Amino acid sequence: MSSIEFDHISKSYNQNRVVDDVSLLLPGSQTTAIVGESGSGKSTLLQILNGLVVADEGKVKIAGAEIDYDALPSIRRNMGYAVQGTGLFPHLTIKENVTLVAQLAGWQRTELDERYVSLLSFFGLDDELSERYPHSLSGGQQQRVGLCRAMMLDPPLLLLDEPFSALDPITRESIHEEMLQLIDGEKSILLVTHDMQEALKLANYLVILKDGKVVQQGAPDDVANQPVDDYVARFFGGANA
Ligand code: ADP
Ligand code: MG
């Protein structure tokens, strides 16, 4: 039930505004897809929400409260983050990667093991991967491990940055089905994707970013039927073909 509010958020790198006056009000228990071409500021928006990056201007609120940068660990416990390109710790085993946050949160061993096993099976991963290190896994397996890690504490808010991009089409399809079960629940999900098919399938709200600006937002059908410009229309060209 974690609503998210971006209130006139801007962020520049080297005089270059990569997030430009973004205002969004996303109610809780909603799956929002953020779609935009590479470099449009999608990952930066998630990083601002996670507190990894601090905006130059504007306010960010999660569940009505402005981010308290002195309390990031507790804020992050309620927020699973699947980093673009997996971001697994190379020196930790798969099991250590997934369960680290639960260890830090002081979970009991049995509770931790049970959650771990159920996540592996949810994402179709074999338990024989547990003692291996990330480099020995395929990109698609690493991505699924990243999803397990993001979901370990069963957080109410999930930030997913192109989480399915390295999966083969068949695995992607089956994980979409698993995700739909989650989405039917209470979770608030921010899904960054290039893939409009995926956005239409999983999300009930669409935000289209271009050059750090929100060019259109709304219900997926409304955006599909009335794209404001060619940039937005192009994303649907592929989806409807
Ligand atoms: P997207 O996820 O939509 O591809 P990003 O948010 O990663 O876009 O990046 C938006 C722009 O900001 C890009 O031009 C990128 O090169 C730039 N950028 C992102 N992070 C940094 C950084 N840490 N330092 C300098 N430039 C950055
Ligand atoms: Mg990105």
Side-chain angles (χ1 to χ4, degrees):
M1 304 280 271
S2 303
S3 62
I4 293 164
E5 185 176 352
F6 291 98
D7 183 8
H8 296 288
I9 288 291
S10 293
K11 173 71 190 173
S12 297
Y13 287 115
N14 314 316
Q15 327 282 334
N16 186 20
R17 272 198 173 207
V18 302
V19 173
D20 192 357
D21 197 23
V22 166
S23 291
L24 289 170
L25 190 49
L26 307 171
S29 306
Q30 170 175 292
T31 297
T32 303
I34 302 179
V35 179
E37 64 190 4
S38 182
S40 56
K42 306 182 296 295
S43 295
T44 305
L45 269 188
L46 293 197
Q47 288 162 349
I48 289 171
L49 206 48
N50 180 263
L52 270 172
V53 166
V54 181
D56 302 328
E57 291 165 42
K59 288 182 191 163
V60 187
K61 290 184 187 170
I62 299 169
E66 229 176 291
I67 294 185
D68 175 357
Y69 290 93
D70 295 325
L72 280 183
S74 71
I75 292 172
R76 287 179 180 157
R77 245 176 266 137
N78 289 313
M79 186 190 307
Y81 183 19
V83 182
Q84 184 170 16
T86 81
L88 300 177
F89 301 113
H91 57 291
L92 297 183
T93 65
I94 298 311
K95 182 165 183 184
E96 288 165 346
N97 262 284
V98 173
T99 58
L100 182 64
V101 283
Q103 282 184 26
L104 294 176
W107 282 32
Q108 299 293 319
R109 173 56 56 183
T110 39
E111 189 189 9
L112 180 147
D113 285 343
E114 276 174 23
R115 177 73 180 153
Y116 174 71
V117 168
S118 76
L119 281 171
L120 279 195
S121 96
F122 187 82
F123 285 111
L125 291 165
D126 199 312
D127 186 42
E128 68 93 18
L129 300 177
S130 295
E131 303 310 317
R132 283 164 57 181
Y133 289 85
H135 69 85
S136 74
L137 273 58
S138 71
Q141 287 172 325
Q142 289 186 31
Q143 228 170 20
R144 283 181 277 163
V145 173
L147 283 161
C148 291
R149 185 174 63 177
M151 287 176 51
M152 183 70 202
L153 300 181
D154 198 18
L157 171 60
L158 283 171
L159 312 181
L160 307 178
D161 199 344
E162 306 199 25
F164 315 118
S165 59
L167 301 178
D168 63 82
I170 293 170
T171 310
R172 185 180 302 146
E173 188 72 20
S174 86
I175 289 196
H176 281 166
E177 296 308 315
E178 304 290 353
M179 293 305 295
L180 282 169
Q181 291 177 27
L182 273 187
I183 287 167
D184 285 341
E186 293 283 276
K187 294 226 182 289
S188 309
I189 301 177
L190 240 63
L191 170 70
V192 166
T193 178
H194 275 102
D195 178 350
M196 188 57 82
Q197 297 262 28
E198 180 169 280
L200 293 176
K201 187 166 169 191
L202 299 180
N204 38 35
Y205 199 77
L206 267 186
V207 172
I208 315 280
L209 273 190
K210 183 187 183 196
D211 299 334
K213 291 193 180 67
V214 175
V215 289
Q216 192 166 7
Q217 58 176 311
D221 283 350
D222 294 343
V223 180
N225 293 331
Q226 291 185 304
V228 292
D229 62 15
D230 284 350
Y231 175 83
V232 178
R234 257 193 292 132
F235 284 105
F236 292 96
N240 295 330

